[in-house]
């Protein structure tokens, strides 16, 4: 399936504003791949499909979990904000015919990050946050860091912001995010 076919399929799966976000993430991921010397085509595709399962209903989620034998952790269960990325990696393979493990992992970890992320995973994680349609505190600082070649610093700031937000809202912090932060921080200190 080519990019245009994926976009058409995605129009059936996402509301218009989320489709626009996905197109923006794809565009941003291409820009970042040029800065960081990453595979542009992989970045473009991963950016496009990263949220493909974001608007699944309960029945669709259950169907995917059964069909693909997906094991969600206790934080992902009944939490589409976290689980859509894991489920989406299976949907990307099945629906969008993506076989590339690097792309599938970039989709899978775009919400939480993970320890020892690949360059593509980092790019999709950041593109999801800093695409041109995003507005939240410190987004400009994240853009500045990311576009100026300071990807690891941007990731640390992002993880810190996420962890603070989750704490301030009295929610559970996904261990993958903590591990991702600590891994990068240990490498740059």
């Amino acid at each position: 399936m080519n990019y245009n076919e994926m976009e058409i399929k995605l129009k059936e799966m996402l509301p218009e504003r989320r489709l626009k976000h996905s197109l923006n993430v794809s565009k941003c991921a291409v820009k970042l791949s040029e800065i960081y010397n990453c595979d542009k085509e992989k970045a473009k595709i991963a950016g496009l499909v990263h949220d493909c399962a974001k608007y699944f209903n309960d029945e669709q989620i259950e169907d995917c979990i059964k069909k693909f034998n997906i094991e969600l952790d206790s934080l992902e269960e009944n939490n589409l904000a976290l689980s859509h990325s894991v489920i989406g990696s299976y949907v990307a393979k099945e629906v969008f015919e993506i076989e590339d493990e690097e792309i599938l992992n970039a989709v899978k970890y775009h919400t939480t990050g993970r320890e020892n992320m690949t360059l593509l995973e980092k790019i999709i994680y950041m593109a999801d946050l800093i695409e041109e349609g995003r507005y939240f505190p410190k987004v400009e600082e994240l853009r500045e860091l990311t576009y100026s070649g300071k990807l690891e610093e941007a990731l640390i700031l992002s993880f810190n912001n996420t962890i603070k937000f989750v704490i301030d809202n009295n929610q559970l912090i996904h261990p993958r995010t903590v591990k991702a932060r600590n891994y990068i921080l240990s490498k740059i200190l």
Side-chain angles (χ1 to χ4, degrees):
M1 184 176 290
N2 68 35
Y3 186 88
N4 290 337
E5 292 168 329
M6 289 179 189
E7 186 179 336
I8 290 165
K9 184 68 181 166
L10 209 53
K11 281 181 184 176
E12 300 167 9
M13 301 171 76
L14 299 176
E16 189 176 330
R17 68 179 178 78
R18 185 53 59 168
L19 178 63
K20 185 176 181 188
H21 164 71
S22 295
L23 291 168
N24 284 346
V25 171
S26 180
K27 188 167 77 174
C28 181
V30 168
K31 283 185 202 173
L32 295 178
S33 70
E34 291 169 352
I35 293 168
Y36 294 101
N37 197 25
C38 187
D39 188 305
K40 264 197 282 195
E41 196 59 31
K42 288 183 182 188
K44 184 178 180 180
I45 291 168
L48 180 67
V49 303
H50 79 283
D51 271 349
C52 63
K54 180 94 174 174
Y55 288 86
F56 276 17
N57 61 37
D58 291 344
E59 186 179 326
Q60 289 171 304
I61 292 166
E62 283 305 312
D63 286 349
C64 282
I65 289 171
K66 287 178 186 166
K67 181 176 183 176
F68 304 118
N69 197 25
I70 300 171
E71 290 188 35
L72 299 176
D73 64 36
S74 61
L75 280 94
E76 293 164 337
E77 286 176 2
N78 302 310
N79 185 344
L80 191 57
L82 287 177
S83 67
H84 79 276
S85 54
V86 175
I87 295 167
S89 67
Y90 291 88
V91 173
K93 186 171 187 170
E94 174 84 5
V95 174
F96 296 96
E97 302 167 3
I98 297 169
E99 296 293 331
D100 188 292
E101 284 299 318
E102 196 175 7
I103 294 172
L104 297 174
N105 282 333
V107 171
K108 186 174 191 173
Y109 299 111
H110 83 267
T111 303
T112 60
R114 71 167 171 164
E115 201 170 14
N116 199 17
M117 294 168 77
T118 66
L119 179 58
L120 182 62
E121 289 169 26
K122 293 174 183 177
I123 284 172
I124 299 306
Y125 183 91
M126 289 310 302
D128 185 29
L129 289 172
I130 67 166
E131 60 91 349
E132 64 188 34
R134 292 285 203 182
Y135 302 99
F136 56 87
K138 297 193 180 184
V139 71
E140 287 303 327
E141 190 177 350
L142 286 172
R143 286 181 180 128
E144 175 63 31
L145 287 169
T146 307
Y147 286 121
S148 66
K150 298 176 181 172
L151 186 58
E152 270 71 27
E153 288 178 44
L155 284 159
I156 291 296
L157 178 60
S158 171
F159 292 138
N160 288 347
N161 290 344
T162 298
I163 290 167
K164 287 175 193 169
F165 177 84
V166 170
I167 288 170
D168 288 345
N169 288 282
N170 206 31
Q171 298 171 337
L172 298 171
I173 302 169
H174 200 286
R176 274 198 304 267
T177 304
V178 174
K179 286 180 179 179
R181 177 193 177 273
N182 289 346
Y183 183 86
I184 292 171
L185 201 54
S186 72
K187 295 292 178 196
I188 62 174
L189 287 179

